């Protein structure tokens, strides 16, 4: 399994940290991660699977973290520079990016870290735990994403850098709703992800 331990201490590397629930991962995530990695000349972009996305818990059932990790591993297979990370799952408990950066820094003391997120998530960043630690230890980079229902997003903090990447407006919520409705998702999710969803009967019933 590829993660910070697996590629060992990295000196001076530029590491992207793209966190998410990934329930499930879809091509929107992959396009953003690949494009930001290329634009910022990052050595690697870690897709960090949240163990317990505490801001989403309670709003809907969340798929077991090990299955979400398996889907991210399947989604990133063969994509150079994209690596699934189980760091937050191994740490357990609620997932905080501040803790993740501290753990990554211990493994790669000389690396530069970029936290990557869509502008929708960036607009909410002040609701994160210990957000000052995030800004102290990483550059926060947002790529443009439309607001959930087309409503313009509020202005972002001045210390968030913006990059432009091609937009592909799908969400995990859309994918789950399609599966529940018996619609196809094979263009929206890589084949390995579709296979896991089918094999485990994910998202067929219930609240998307
Ligand atoms: P959900 O619909 O369940 O809320 P999501 O599709 O928004 O999920 P998350 O795993 O919550 O996915 O998001 C992780 C990160 O991926 C966030 O920074 C979010 O902005 C970004 N993201 C989600 N969908 C897309 C997309 N279509 N294109 C680019 N980035 C995306």
């Amino acid at each position: 399994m590829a993660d910070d331990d697996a590629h060992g201490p990295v000196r001076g590397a530029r590491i992207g940290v793209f966190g998410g629930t990934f329930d499930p991962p879809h091509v929107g995530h992959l396009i953003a991660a690949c494009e930001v990695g290329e634009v910022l000349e990052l050595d690697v972009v870690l897709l960090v699977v949240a163990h317990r996305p505490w801001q989403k818990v309670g709003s809907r059932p969340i798929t077991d973290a090990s299955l979400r990790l398996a889907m991210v591993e399947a989604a990133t297979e063969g994509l150079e520079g994209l690596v699934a990370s189980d760091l937050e799952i191994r740490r357990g408990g609620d997932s905080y990016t501040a803790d993740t950066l501290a753990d990554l820094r211990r493994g790669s003391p000389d690396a530069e870290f970029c936290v990557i997120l869509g502008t929708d998530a960036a607009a909410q960043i002040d609701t994160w735990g210990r957000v000052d630690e995030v800004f102290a230890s990483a550059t926060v980079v947002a790529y443009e994403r439309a607001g959930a229902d087309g409503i313009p997003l509020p202005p972002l903090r001045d210390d968030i850098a913006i990059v432009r990447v091609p937009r592909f407006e799908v969400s995990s919520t859309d994918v789950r709703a399609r599966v529940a409705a018996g619609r196809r998702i094979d263009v929206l999710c890589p084949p390995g992800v579709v296979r896991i969803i089918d094999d485990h009967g994910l998202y067929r019933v219930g609240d998307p």
Side-chain angles (χ1 to χ4, degrees), residues 1 21-27 29-30 47 49 60 62-77 79 83-85 89 172 175-176 179 185 189-203:
M1 182 175 306
T21 308
F22 301 116
D23 193 10
H26 50 67
V27 291
H29 294 132
L30 299 176
L47 281 77
V49 180
R60 65 170 182 85
I62 293 176
T63 303
D64 189 76
S66 59
L67 271 181
R68 290 184 285 110
L69 175 67
M71 290 193 280
V72 175
E73 287 173 337
T76 52
E77 201 181 325
L79 290 178
V83 172
S85 172
I89 298 174
S172 300
V175 174
R176 295 191 301 273
V179 175
I185 56 163
C189 298
V193 174
V194 176
R195 209 168 302 123
I196 293 171
I197 292 172
D198 285 346
D199 288 351
H200 292 268
L202 301 180
Y203 316 129

Side-chain angles (χ1 to χ4, degrees), residues 6-115:
H7 54 73
V10 182
R11 292 188 67 81
R14 291 167 55 76
I15 301 176
V17 179
F18 184 45
T21 308
F22 301 116
D23 193 10
H26 50 67
V27 291
H29 294 132
L30 299 176
I31 293 169
C34 281
E35 291 284 327
V36 175
E38 198 171 60
V39 170
L40 299 183
E41 300 183 347
L42 302 177
D43 296 298
V44 66
V45 176
L46 302 175
L47 281 77
V48 184
V49 180
H51 175 256
R52 189 171 187 276
W54 55 275
Q55 292 192 312
K56 290 187 180 180
V57 168
S59 57
R60 65 170 182 85
I62 293 176
T63 303
D64 189 76
S66 59
L67 271 181
R68 290 184 285 110
L69 175 67
M71 290 193 280
V72 175
E73 287 173 337
T76 52
E77 201 181 325
L79 290 178
E80 200 187 322
L82 298 196
V83 172
S85 172
D86 66 350
L87 182 60
E88 293 185 352
I89 298 174
R90 280 187 285 129
R91 194 170 63 234
D94 287 348
S95 301
Y96 290 98
T97 302
D99 293 328
T100 302
L101 288 168
D103 288 345
L104 288 168
R105 172 77 61 204
R106 266 190 292 280
S108 304
D110 299 326
E112 277 177 61
F113 293 99
C114 290
V115 170

Side-chain angles (χ1 to χ4, degrees), residues 18-23 26 28-29 32 56 60 116-121 143 145 168-174 176:
F18 184 45
T21 308
F22 301 116
D23 193 10
H26 50 67
H29 294 132
K56 290 187 180 180
R60 65 170 182 85
I116 301 167
L117 68 188
T119 45
D120 58 325
Y143 54 86
R145 243 195 117 193
F168 186 86
E169 286 304 331
V170 62
S171 67
S172 300
T173 304
D174 298 336
R176 295 191 301 273

